[in-house]
Amino acid sequence: LGAAITACPATGCRLQLSGTYRLSDDVSIPAKARLVFTGTGMLSVDATQRVTIASPRHITASPAQQIFGGDGLVSFTDPGVVYPEWWQANTQGTTDMAPAINKALVAGGAGSTLQFREGTYLLHTISKCADLAACGMDSYVENYIISLLDSRTIKGTGWGSVLMVADHIYDQPNDDTSNAHVFQGFDIDNVVIRDLQINMNVYNNLT
């Protein structure tokens, strides 16, 4: 990949990715390069490493296609529309999509839109608010699934886009509404959540 980026002329180029490219170092892809993901094309970023891309608009890929893998970071210099499926293929209610959603929110940056397609996005992985310094000891929120960030739009396609809490996430003996939260956000501004359903799956939680 590095050689292809170096060879990209000033007038621009299209880099076609049809396999998995492991990134073991930080990589910055210039604005003159467009990334075209076909087949099983993917950038796998090693932990502690980062790939920086000019904008989601410089990516050609299906909204349903996973194009990023690994434990490293993806970041965009300019905002645009990103999809959770770019970080994890969604098998409609059986795959935990919470990590992918959080990665997409971080990657998109301020001014970005996280776009949910029609379908069910299962939320299984929970995080403890005590691990966040902003929560404080007296915070009402104990647990959360999605961490909100400044200046993001979280958008679905309407009633057909469903965020559903997985079974038996909030049904421990000491669980109540104080720790049954999907979102957390402390001291954040300009967040819009629209055109989607949130299904708390109460018949299989808080029982």
Side-chain angles (χ1 to χ4, degrees), residues 97-151:
M97 294 298 291
I101 292 169
N102 283 305
K103 288 180 179 179
L105 282 170
V106 171
S112 64
T113 295
L114 176 59
Q115 179 68 58
F116 289 94
R117 304 167 65 243
E118 185 168 331
T120 299
Y121 294 77
L122 190 70
L123 307 177
H124 189 280
T125 300
I126 62 173
S127 300
K128 293 186 179 296
C129 196
D131 294 335
L132 297 176
C135 283
M137 294 299 294
D138 58 349
S139 172
Y140 174 72
V141 178
E142 294 181 14
N143 299 317
Y144 66 94
I145 298 173
I146 298 172
S147 183
L148 299 175
L149 298 169
D150 285 330
S151 303

Side-chain angles (χ1 to χ4, degrees), residues 4-5 11 33-34 52 54 57 101 127 142 181-182 184:
I5 292 172
T11 54
R34 301 298 196 266
T52 303
R57 294 185 295 274
I101 292 169
S127 300
E142 294 181 14
H181 293 85
V182 172
Q184 78 80 20

Side-chain angles (χ1 to χ4, degrees), residues 13-19 21 29-43 53-68 76 81-83 85-86:
C13 63
R14 292 166 62 87
L15 305 180
Q16 183 164 314
L17 308 177
S18 58
Y21 293 80
I29 299 174
K32 64 181 180 179
R34 301 298 196 266
L35 301 179
V36 181
F37 291 89
T38 62
T40 58
M42 181 186 299
L43 294 179
I53 302 169
S55 169
R57 294 185 295 274
H58 290 197
I59 289 177
T60 299
S62 166
Q65 178 183 359
Q66 183 177 352
I67 58 175
F68 299 120
F76 294 100
V81 179
V82 295
Y83 303 88
E85 288 90 343
W86 280 0

